[in-house]
Amino acid sequence: MTNAVQKLNRTFRRLVFAMGHEVHFLCKPGYELIGPRTRVCLESLKWSGQQPMCRSEIGTLSFLCSHGVSLGLNSTANSLASFSSAASSFAALSASSTTTSSSLASSPTPSSPSSSVRPSNCTHFLGSTHCTCDVGFTISGRDNNICTDIDECHLFPLAQPGRLCIHQCVNTPGSFHCVCPPGYSLSRDGRSCTDIDECENLSHNCTADRLCVNTFGGFKCVTVKCPKTKNATYIKTSPMRCERNPCMFGDKACTQAPNSISFHFLAVVSNMSAPRVLFRVSAARVLGDTLRFGLAGGRGRGHFSVQRSGRQTGTLLLVTSINGPATLEAEVEMSELENNTLLGRYLTKVTLFVSPYMF
């Protein structure tokens, strides 16, 4: 400890503030005072208001009004006490009373703001030392003289409740930031990921003869074509529907073919909970006395089931979860009968695009 500090300590031991005395605070130019500019010694022998500080919450300023007063402060004048801080964040502060005025100076310790290890911010006064760290750092070292970066990503891993990021967490000195996979943008909360609709914002590369289908994290360019069979011919009546041309009289093979084929594309996330309703098929009108619903085919039939959900409605269900990325198809058939005689078949082809992510 320097002679100047020793002399200052002896001065502070003799310094007594009486009830009603005031101290006034002023920061060095370029620093912002946080807290009251004036504090008063109260009847309870404590100072009014909160402890002031310059620019950040580093260090502790102690002003005790009692019969033996210790005053801890730092100011713009003579270098009488030793204060250290990272990146000069603890500014000079002055205090004065109605009877006595005293001032101390700050002595910053430079450090790299991007380093994961920094010196702590310590105040040395009256034989005691108080050390703190910047936000995002924790005290370490034998003498509490080192601040080590807190790895928030390690403390809150993806698999744990309350995780910091829904996808990827990147630790930075004193903080962290979240990263989303391609096809997603970071949400306003800075932690979630929002799917980018490439079809809506026209950032896809699908040609004019193909349909853009937005998926979670991307898009698909699909082509809707009517089937070509030897039993029946079809014509495209809308972008997502094909109708069978009239059959020749007595052509049973043609009449057994579906009257219409509809195409639908669904985007879902990976490992979606099951059972879950995916799609409903309804008859606009019923000519016969019976409607039947069932699965006709498609890739991934083990994941799907069809149930009757109304007099004229059938429901396609996902019965087992799917780990993406994957593309599955289900063909839902609705048959109309009269006295067990087939009047018509209507086929709905549902294609499921499963994202590789659970969001």
Side-chain angles (χ1 to χ4, degrees), residues 26-29 31 54 73-77 90-94 104-106:
L26 179 66
C27 288
K28 183 194 300 182
Y31 292 89
C54 290
L73 53 144
N74 55 340
S75 76
T76 58
F90 194 57
L93 186 68
S94 67
L104 304 175
S106 65

Side-chain angles (χ1 to χ4, degrees), residues 63-91:
F63 301 90
L64 304 178
C65 47
S66 63
H67 296 293
V69 175
S70 66
L71 176 64
L73 53 144
N74 55 340
S75 76
T76 58
N78 298 327
S79 179
L80 300 180
S82 173
F83 293 84
S84 65
S85 70
S88 304
S89 58
F90 194 57

Side-chain angles (χ1 to χ4, degrees), residues 328-347:
L328 302 177
E329 292 178 355
E331 295 183 359
V332 181
E333 182 181 83
M334 180 176 66
S335 302
E336 188 177 17
L337 301 96
E338 177 74 33
N339 295 324
N340 291 327
T341 301
L342 182 66
L343 298 181
R345 294 174 58 222
Y346 306 89
L347 198 63

Side-chain angles (χ1 to χ4, degrees), residues 24 26-27 33 48-49 71 76 95 98 109 168 175 195 212 216 225 250 255 283 309 328 332 334 353:
H24 305 277
L26 179 66
C27 288
L33 178 66
S48 64
L71 176 64
T76 58
T98 56
T109 301
Q168 182 180 357
S175 185
D195 173 58
C212 179
F216 288 95
K225 290 184 177 181
T255 56
S309 56
L328 302 177
V332 181
M334 180 176 66
F353 296 118

Side-chain angles (χ1 to χ4, degrees), residues 279-297:
F279 195 82
R280 286 187 172 90
V281 178
S282 298
R285 58 187 178 85
V286 180
L287 298 178
D289 56 23
T290 304
L291 274 180
R292 292 179 181 172
F293 296 91
L295 284 175

Side-chain angles (χ1 to χ4, degrees), residues 17 26 120 124 139 155 222 244 248 251 275 304 311 334:
F17 288 146
L26 179 66
S120 59
H124 311 283
I139 285 284
L155 291 177
V222 300
R244 189 189 70 192
M248 297 291 292
D251 189 346
F304 304 109
R311 181 174 178 273
M334 180 176 66

Side-chain angles (χ1 to χ4, degrees), residues 12 14-26 37-41 47 63-65 69 71 73 94-103:
F12 284 166
R14 294 193 301 270
L15 183 61
V16 175
F17 288 146
M19 183 180 65
H21 279 173
E22 296 181 354
V23 288
H24 305 277
F25 303 95
L26 179 66
R37 293 184 177 275
T38 302
R39 300 183 75 186
V40 180
C41 186
W47 289 100
F63 301 90
L64 304 178
C65 47
V69 175
L71 176 64
L73 53 144
S94 67
S96 63
S97 75
T98 56
T99 57
T100 300
S101 176
S102 184
S103 58

